[in-house]
């Protein structure tokens, strides 16, 4: 019974690690082809949703996460931000809500805030969010997820879960040292990125791309994984051959 529980625990570990990697790959694949956000389109959208209100400042930010620059057509590749005033202006919320309803914006929903609530809406491949921080109201315009984003993310996650559970179950049932050493190396190699990915998901969910975590950690994890691989080879080389009885080994040593 205990051994079977060990197999199940290993299968769950593999499903978690490979499922997280599959989620990252699926979200990257599904997020490709997002609408590239131009400064002109961003300014036009801000003027449509907040008519007659001039921003006190604006900036266009290229997507950069975990040491990785995102392409312009990657989900989260760029965003535009417009600031209004030096403090929160809660009257902008009703102005944006009315303009969004009139302009046919979809997914209009309230965004809770400390001073007052903002609004979020989607249309034409763009997601617009109005918030009211202490330093001034802010309108953020980002790319919306492409149509197949959720399907690709779910598919990648399920494929990773199935592959990880099967591989780790087989490694746990094997009595040979090689699968166990390989499984240990894979666990050590995937675990740090998986932890950072889930910490990211706990804060942002899928509002921010998670795949840069893996690419950003690769320069550190690859040398570390190679060192562990060398250690594993040394351990296997020093392991006694189970085909030779212990008494024969001792006798051979004395004869030598």
């Amino acid at each position: 019974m205990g051994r079977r529980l060990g197999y199940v625990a290993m299968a769950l570990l593999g499903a978690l690690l490979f499922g997280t990697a599959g989620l990252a790959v699926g979200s990257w694949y599904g997020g490709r082809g997002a609408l590239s956000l131009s400064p002109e389109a961003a300014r036009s959208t801000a003027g449509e949703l907040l008519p007659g209100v001039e921003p006190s400042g604006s900036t266009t930010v290229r997507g950069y996460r975990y040491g990785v620059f995102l392409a312009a057509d990657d989900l989260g590749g760029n965003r535009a931000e417009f600031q209004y005033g030096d403090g929160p202006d809660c009257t902008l919320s009703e102005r944006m809500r009315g303009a969004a309803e009139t302009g046919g914006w979809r997914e209009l929903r309230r965004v809770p805030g400390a001073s007052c609530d903002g609004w979020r809406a989607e249309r034409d491949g763009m997601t617009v969010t109005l918030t009211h921080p202490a330093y001034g109201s802010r309108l953020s315009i980002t790319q919306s997820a492409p149509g197949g984003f959720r399907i690709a993310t779910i598919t990648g996650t399920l494929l990773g879960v199935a592959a990880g559970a099967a591989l780790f179950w087989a490694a746990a049932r094997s009595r040979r040292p090689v699968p166990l050493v390989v499984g240990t190396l894979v666990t050590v190699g995937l675990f740090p990125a998986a932890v950072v990915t889930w910490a990211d998901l706990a804060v942002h969910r899928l509002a921010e791309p998670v795949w840069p975590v893996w690419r950003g950690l690769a320069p550190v994890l690859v040398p570390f994984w190679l060192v562990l691989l060398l250690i594993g080879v040394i351990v296997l080389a020093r392991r006694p051959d189970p085909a030779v009885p212990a008494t024969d080994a001792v006798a051979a040593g004395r004869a030598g």
Side-chain angles (χ1 to χ4, degrees):
M1 182 65 179
R3 181 173 297 177
R4 187 173 183 83
L5 288 177
Y7 297 159
V8 173
M10 288 295 294
L12 291 176
L13 177 61
L16 174 63
L17 295 177
F18 278 73
T20 307
L23 181 146
V25 173
S27 63
W28 164 78
Y29 183 81
R32 297 186 311 165
L35 178 66
S36 181
L37 185 63
S38 66
E40 294 76 13
R43 285 193 295 268
S44 175
T45 301
E48 176 187 352
L49 291 176
L50 295 176
V53 183
E54 289 296 327
S56 56
S58 64
T59 181
T60 300
V61 182
R62 183 180 175 186
Y64 183 82
R65 303 207 74 210
Y66 297 100
V68 177
F69 278 106
L70 280 65
D73 59 347
D74 283 334
L75 181 62
N78 50 24
R79 72 178 187 275
E81 294 184 351
F82 299 86
Q83 184 170 344
Y84 299 87
D86 298 326
D89 185 357
C90 297
T91 61
L92 297 180
S93 289
E94 288 303 312
R95 188 188 294 266
M96 175 181 166
R97 184 182 64 83
E101 291 177 346
T102 304
W105 287 75
R106 307 181 307 274
E107 302 294 332
L108 183 63
R109 55 185 181 273
R110 191 182 298 272
V111 178
S115 54
C116 50
D117 294 344
W119 288 92
R120 181 186 180 93
E122 295 183 11
R123 197 189 70 183
D124 300 333
M126 292 181 290
T127 298
V128 182
T129 306
L130 175 66
T131 55
H132 301 283
Y135 55 80
S137 298
R138 182 178 61 188
L139 187 71
S140 177
I141 304 176
T142 60
Q143 302 152 304
S144 298
F149 176 74
R150 292 183 180 179
I151 295 177
T153 303
I154 294 174
T155 301
T157 303
L158 294 179
L159 291 176
V161 166
L167 291 175
F168 273 58
W169 178 279
R173 290 180 60 87
S174 176
R175 299 295 182 86
R176 299 178 181 179
V178 173
L180 297 178
V181 171
V182 172
T184 302
L185 294 176
V186 171
T187 300
V188 174
L190 296 183
F191 189 76
V195 170
V196 178
T197 298
W198 282 104
D200 198 334
L201 290 171
V203 177
H204 301 291
R205 299 181 183 176
L206 283 175
E208 296 286 346
V210 296
W211 62 265
V213 171
W214 298 81
R215 183 177 168 185
L217 291 179
V220 177
L221 293 180
V222 170
F224 181 55
W225 195 88
L226 292 176
V227 171
L228 291 177
L229 180 60
L230 178 61
I231 294 174
V233 171
I234 295 174
V235 170
L236 291 176
R238 292 184 176 180
R239 186 181 179 89
D241 190 353
V244 179
T247 55
D248 294 346
V250 173
R254 290 176 178 177

